[in-house]
Amino acid sequence: EVQLVQSGAEVRKPGESLRISCKASGYNFHKYWIAWVRQMPGKGLEWMGIINPDDSEITYGWAFQDQVTISADKSFSTVYLQWTSLKASDSGMYYCARRGDCPNGVCKDLDYWGQGTLVTVSS
Amino acid sequence: DIVLTQSPGTLSLSPGERATLSCRASQRVNSGYLAWIQQKPGQAPRLLIYAASIRATDIPDRFSGSGSGTDFTLTISRLEPEDFAMYYCEQYATSPRTFGRGTKVEV
């Protein structure tokens, strides 16, 4: 069974650093890209970026370039999202999601999702 | 970036009724790589439809997607109580991927 299990809720102060994780199981980790999606309180979904766990190729959404760092560790089948200096506006729910495969040449996207990690940044 | 505009913002319907949700793209979505995603309160999103019209695994056939180019539609033929939720469209033809702002289907 494919599963993406995310790390637990975090509370930090502005200026602090943070790394949250998304551990994959039930499939061949290095074959599927993983994306991060933000959802601010009461708002919609925002695509942050995506990583190829096989070679760590990354594409960031414009609003998140230079704001966060996405990385992967194949030995732990885990993808990470990291901040070096949090802001209050980084508060929200963060989801990881797998980019699906391409059965019969037609590709899926975001076919499996993690349960979400709630990040609260407050002084 | 491709901007996706969903309408209406809110759809007020009753169980058993038909729901029609629209997603319009600011430019052509190549290969029809448009997905519909459902999110219920307090839950993670779930993929319903990919490539504009293909139901994801275990999605009931009352959900159907259609469209191409810049105009896409999600139809729920007969609303069940569990279908009242937020629905987002997402284009994955080009990077960065983008989401619409969502349509809330409410009772």
Side-chain angles (χ1 to χ4, degrees):
Chain A
E1 178 193 6
V2 173
Q3 284 194 307
L4 299 175
V5 178
Q6 298 185 227
S7 49
E10 302 277 4
V11 179
R12 292 286 189 277
K13 291 181 166 54
E16 293 185 341
S17 63
L18 175 65
R19 188 177 76 168
I20 63 175
S21 66
C22 169
K23 183 171 175 60
S25 62
Y27 71 95
N28 198 333
F29 175 70
H30 73 88
K31 286 191 173 181
Y32 294 83
W33 296 56
I34 298 279
W36 284 98
V37 176
R38 181 174 78 175
Q39 187 167 39
M40 298 176 75
K43 302 298 184 183
L45 305 174
E46 300 174 88
W47 191 85
M48 301 179 70
I50 193 167
I51 185 167
N52 179 350
D54 192 40
D55 62 7
S56 290
E57 178 185 347
I58 302 168
T59 300
Y60 291 98
W62 301 120
F64 298 95
Q65 185 85 42
D66 300 323
Q67 304 302 309
V68 298
T69 301
I70 296 172
S71 60
D73 188 330
K74 285 191 285 187
S75 59
F76 291 104
S77 299
T78 300
V79 172
Y80 301 97
L81 179 65
Q82 182 173 341
W83 295 261
T84 56
S85 181
L86 286 159
K87 303 183 283 289
S89 57
D90 292 318
S91 295
M93 184 70 82
Y94 292 84
Y95 295 100
C96 61
R98 190 185 81 162
R99 190 178 85 172
D101 56 6
C102 303
N104 302 314
V106 179
C107 297
K108 301 179 191 178
D109 203 30
L110 307 182
D111 61 348
Y112 287 91
W113 291 70
Q115 83 277 19
T117 295
L118 182 63
V119 173
T120 303
V121 184
S122 174
S123 55
Chain B
D1 298 2
I2 296 179
V3 176
L4 299 178
T5 301
Q6 291 189 242
S7 61
T10 303
L11 199 50
S12 298
L13 295 167
S14 300
E17 290 193 295
R18 181 184 188 88
T20 303
L21 288 67
S22 172
C23 177
R24 178 163 291 178
S26 61
Q27 54 190 280
R28 180 180 180 85
V29 177
N30 291 328
S31 305
Y33 279 166
L34 190 287
W36 289 95
I37 292 164
Q38 179 193 61
Q39 188 178 31
K40 299 178 183 178
Q43 295 187 19
R46 174 175 74 147
L47 178 66
L48 292 178
I49 300 283
Y50 65 95
S53 62
I54 304 174
R55 277 188 299 277
T57 304
D58 295 332
I59 301 303
D61 62 7
R62 64 179 180 273
F63 291 93
S64 63
S66 62
S68 63
T70 60
D71 288 300
F72 299 87
T73 300
L74 174 70
T75 301
I76 311 171
S77 58
R78 287 177 57 85
L79 283 162
E80 297 287 341
E82 62 267 28
D83 299 337
F84 292 92
M86 282 294 292
Y87 293 85
Y88 297 94
C89 56
E90 181 231 0
Q91 69 80 20
Y92 57 104
T94 62
S95 282
R97 274 93 154 125
T98 47
F99 291 96
R101 292 191 172 189
T103 291
K104 182 179 182 181
V105 178
E106 67 175 21
V107 179

